[in-house]
Amino acid sequence: MKQSVTVNQPAEAKWLRVIRTFFTKVNIKKPTFNLSSFLKKVGIPLVSIAVFIGIWHLGAEALKQREINFRIEKTLTDQGESAAAALKACFASNESTCQTNTLPSPSQVWSSILTLIADHYVIKQDKEAFAEKTAAVNAKREAAGKEPIVYTGRPSFVDIVITSLKTVFAGFLLAFFIAVPIGIVIGLSDKLRNAFNWFIQIFKPVSPVVWYLLVFMIVKTLLIGTSTDNSFVISFISVGLCAMWATLVNTAVGVSTVDKDYINVAKVLKLGPLQKVFKVILPSSLPLIFTGLRITLSVAWMVLIAIELLAQSPGLGLFVWEEFQNGANDSNSKIIVAMFVIGIIGFLLDRFMLTIQNMVSFNKSEGI
């Protein structure tokens, strides 16, 4: 026993020294809890959210009561006391036939969220059942060179959000591939910048509705006789053309204001035109270019709603309009759900662009 201990002791001591050295170099500190920092980052936002929901609830209840009082008084004037008493009792019972058409309360919006989620799973099961039912038929159709039978039922709210995201990203990529090259070219030349300035100033403030109509005139003619989804093509082209101007202007300004010392260094190094653009001008212009791209993505997401409505593309814009036209008991609540989804996705898209900007740029930004 003593011999074995004597033999193993140096090895054990060696491993202890290795572990002690590792922790010393890594300098692992015990986690500390900073209450003030926690309250600032988590507590205050949670309190503001609670205050917002409280104000929303009180405002919704006040508007609801105002509408109820008006309808009861109007019924009293037009139909008499018995009809007014019956309507008052109906409102008190909260029956579906006696609902107000005003701002929904937070609880009603939450109920609509749960309804939309449940509908999504029901529609998902319908799609899976349809795919299983038509699998054999579609296999034969594809073997014969025919198009498969596709599910044509109503989309779920998740499908609608995905459609809008596809449209806005397609429009953003279109804006990127148009605005950045043109911005670089006109930023390198004062003459070209002056020549194109009128074009930018005239078309930059044009409404998305007008861009949609212009794109509709062109695309519907180009795609005559094809099976392409016209609504999607028209939507993303309209979004891209409407939103590209911030990137175009910022790219041109960023390129034109590159420090002259950098340009002189490029001349000393005898860099070619493309090398000068990619190794000197673009890296120096990245902060302004990405600021333009962030604005472009935000504008694209905002104008998407109006364009989808006009193009009848099955996205959030059409969803909001159909719910407004529908006039069901939960239509207003679903519109508010869509509003929050639009806002949250817009915020996440902006954070996404800010993260990429900080990854490729020397100038780090925390955003607003």
Side-chain angles (χ1 to χ4, degrees):
M1 291 295 293
K2 290 183 180 180
Q3 289 182 351
S4 61
V5 171
T6 305
V7 172
N8 291 336
Q9 189 173 5
E12 291 177 359
K14 180 180 178 181
W15 280 111
L16 287 173
R17 286 196 301 271
V18 170
I19 294 171
R20 189 181 298 112
T21 304
F22 170 77
F23 280 104
T24 303
K25 289 184 177 180
V26 174
N27 193 23
I28 296 178
K29 298 179 180 179
K30 293 182 179 180
T32 58
F33 179 75
N34 191 327
L35 180 60
S36 61
S37 177
F38 175 80
L39 291 175
K40 182 179 179 181
K41 293 182 178 180
V42 179
I44 294 176
L46 288 177
V47 170
S48 66
I49 291 172
V51 170
F52 170 76
I53 293 175
I55 295 173
W56 174 13
H57 174 75
L58 294 174
E61 289 298 320
L63 291 172
K64 178 182 177 181
Q65 193 60 47
R66 179 180 175 82
E67 182 178 340
I68 290 173
N69 293 339
F70 173 79
R71 290 172 63 177
I72 291 174
E73 290 176 5
K74 191 174 186 307
T75 303
L76 178 63
T77 304
D78 296 343
Q79 303 178 25
E81 293 184 3
S82 59
L87 181 62
K88 186 176 182 180
C90 186
F91 277 124
S93 65
N94 201 26
E95 294 181 6
S96 59
T97 56
C98 298
Q99 295 293 327
T100 55
N101 187 24
T102 185
L103 178 68
S105 65
S107 60
Q108 290 174 310
V109 173
W110 177 250
S111 177
S112 292
I113 291 173
L114 298 179
T115 300
L116 290 171
I117 293 173
D119 287 346
H120 167 69
Y121 285 108
V122 170
I123 293 172
K124 183 180 179 181
Q125 291 176 355
D126 291 342
K127 287 181 179 179
E128 292 174 351
F130 178 84
E132 293 178 1
K133 185 178 179 180
T134 58
V137 177
N138 282 337
K140 293 179 180 178
R141 291 178 65 87
E142 290 177 1
K146 298 179 181 179
E147 293 184 358
I149 302 172
V150 296
Y151 180 82
T152 57
R154 66 184 180 91
S156 69
F157 186 72
V158 175
D159 297 329
I160 288 169
V161 172
I162 291 173
T163 299
S164 290
L165 287 172
K166 288 179 181 178
T167 305
V168 79
F169 274 115
F172 174 76
L173 289 175
L174 178 67
F176 174 83
F177 286 116
I178 293 176
V180 172
I182 295 177
I184 293 172
V185 171
I186 66 176
L188 291 171
S189 171
D190 292 336
K191 294 180 180 179
L192 285 176
R193 195 158 57 252
N194 293 330
F196 278 94
N197 185 55
W198 68 270
F199 182 85
I200 296 172
Q201 299 305 324
I202 288 176
F203 288 100
K204 183 172 66 173
V206 172
S207 166
V209 177
V210 179
W211 279 115
Y212 163 77
L213 295 174
L214 175 64
V215 174
F216 177 78
M217 297 175 198
I218 298 171
V219 172
K220 73 168 185 176
T221 305
L222 294 176
L223 297 181
I224 284 179
T226 66
S227 58
T228 307
D229 183 4
N230 290 5
S231 64
F232 175 76
V233 175
I234 293 171
S235 295
F236 90 78
I237 293 177
S238 302
V239 167
L241 293 179
C242 187
M244 71 177 187
W245 303 101
T247 298
L248 177 59
V249 172
N250 276 37
T251 302
V253 172
V255 171
S256 64
T257 57
V258 172
D259 195 330
K260 299 302 180 185
D261 291 338
Y262 297 160
I263 304 298
N264 294 332
V265 170
K267 290 180 180 179
V268 171
L269 296 175
K270 297 181 180 181
L271 298 179
L274 289 179
Q275 287 181 315
K276 183 172 71 174
V277 169
F278 286 102
K279 292 186 177 182
V280 177
I281 293 174
L282 276 181
S284 302
S285 308
L286 277 179
L288 270 177
I289 292 174
F290 267 94
T291 299
L293 289 172
R294 285 178 63 192
I295 297 172
T296 289
L297 189 56
S298 298
V299 171
W301 186 244
M302 283 191 294
V303 303
L304 174 72
I305 305 305
I307 289 174
E308 282 183 334
L309 189 156
L310 293 169
Q312 296 294 295
S313 179
L316 284 166
L318 186 60
F319 172 82
V320 170
W321 180 249
E322 287 181 344
E323 289 298 331
F324 175 75
Q325 295 283 74
N326 186 17
N329 292 332
D330 60 349
S331 290
N332 290 355
S333 300
K334 289 181 179 179
I335 291 172
I336 300 299
V337 172
M339 183 189 75
F340 277 108
V341 170
I342 291 167
I344 291 170
I345 292 177
F347 169 76
L348 293 176
L349 291 176
D350 182 75
R351 296 298 97 177
F352 172 73
M353 287 301 302
L354 181 62
T355 302
I356 296 178
Q357 176 180 343
N358 288 336
M359 288 172 61
V360 301
S361 175
F362 293 106
N363 298 333
K364 307 301 180 184
S365 173
E366 295 183 359
I368 298 176

